[in-house]
Amino acid sequence: MSTPTDSLCDVAGIEVGHFTDPRRPTGCTVVMAREGAVGGVDVRGAAPGTRETDLLEPGNTVQTVHAVLLSGGSAWGLDAAGGVMRWLDEHGIGLAVGPARVPIVPAAVLFDLHVGDARIRPDAAAGYAACAAASRQAPAQGNVGAGAGATVGKMFGMAGAMKGGIGSASVRVGDFTVGAIVACNALGDVVDPGTGRILAGARQSDNTLADTTAQLLAGRTPGQILPGTQTTIGLIATDATLDKAQARRLAQVGHDGLARCIQPVHTTSDGDTLFALATGRVATPPPMTVLCVMAAEAVARATVRAVLSASTMKNGGLEWPAAADLAAP
């Protein structure tokens, strides 16, 4: 057994690769299963940007997923999935359909176009580069890949927001491992589920944390919020042997992990989406209740790491401090 990395890559059969665009804060992240994996998805946000999610329905024909793309760039970022398909095809990976192979690549995007030049967004070349960078090593966290331009705490305007990012974690119980990767770009605040302390979120004029939920309950009016301009996306993977219905269940309960850490979550302006992959490397019948608990825990830990691993981002006259920098003396 390889040395644990406390990341999604602890799941046998999974590789992760980032592409971060040096021209502005944006990028994409690819989770690859070269030998294929059973997939599921659950969309809870009201403003999602997704691709190839219908085929993950348990009653639909396709059974195997070869990669999942998480991307910045809003709907433009879905273009990066074409580059993922091209890389997989060049490496002989895909669903055999007559004379051809068709790589199956579901995808979800988050909105980061308000940071830097919105004309720069992940494209097919970015998806291809993320595949080329994929490995079994623990993926970088913070301001990389799909989390490069992510921000959180935007309920009362971008000027008072903080830096989001991407994070990963894993949980092992007995023979089974469950890992998660989360690109956190939430409208709400991110809290430590163990203490309830706000880690990153909306700031007041004196740079203290506003506590979005408390402010809303006290009657404060949200700022101008455009639908779809937020969104937390991620993926859960396990080495258990699951069918598509069980994989979808894992994606569903993974949202419990988001709900522990993001307040409020699943809003009308977020497109919160979680995928699940099961590589089937462990043949023992899966304890679904335990796997579900593990999935929610892995998602919660990955979400917290997404903001704790981030670094402050500046753009024009605005600055979005990171949790670590705001807490520093």
Side-chain angles (χ1 to χ4, degrees), residues 56-238:
L56 297 175
E57 286 292 319
N60 289 342
T61 302
V62 172
Q63 298 295 312
T64 303
V65 170
H66 303 101
V68 172
L69 171 75
L70 307 174
S71 182
S74 189
W76 294 103
L78 293 172
D79 185 37
V84 178
M85 289 187 70
R86 179 163 63 88
W87 191 95
L88 292 170
D89 182 47
E90 290 176 1
H91 290 77
I93 301 168
L95 175 67
V97 183
R101 288 186 178 274
V102 179
I104 305 301
V105 185
V109 295
L110 56 77
F111 186 96
D112 60 6
L113 298 180
H114 41 44
V115 181
D117 187 346
R119 295 171 296 179
I120 298 171
R121 52 249 177 172
D123 55 12
Y128 190 96
C131 288
S135 77
R136 298 273 300 133
Q137 302 298 314
Q141 301 181 97
N143 299 24
V144 294
T151 48
V152 300
K154 294 165 276 189
M155 186 66 72
F156 307 113
M158 279 298 296
M162 289 181 64
K163 186 68 182 76
I166 194 165
S168 188
S170 69
V171 180
R172 183 173 178 83
V173 176
D175 294 333
F176 298 96
T177 301
V178 174
I181 192 165
V182 174
C184 186
N185 186 57
L187 178 65
D189 300 339
V190 179
V191 306
D192 181 334
T195 66
R197 182 173 68 91
I198 299 174
L199 302 172
R203 292 173 292 125
Q204 304 194 87
S205 57
D206 62 358
N207 224 28
T208 59
L209 292 166
D211 191 337
T212 295
T213 298
Q215 294 276 339
L216 293 174
L217 292 177
R220 183 175 178 181
T221 302
Q224 292 273 334
I225 304 168
L226 296 176
T229 56
Q230 330 298 331
T231 299
T232 295
I233 52 179
L235 180 142
I236 302 154
T238 180

Side-chain angles (χ1 to χ4, degrees), residues 15 24 43 50 55 74 142 145-146 153 163 180 207 250 254 260 265 279 317:
E15 299 173 56
R24 85 162 178 95
V43 180
T50 58
L55 63 80
S74 189
K163 186 68 182 76
N207 224 28
L250 213 61
R260 293 174 193 171
V265 70
T279 62

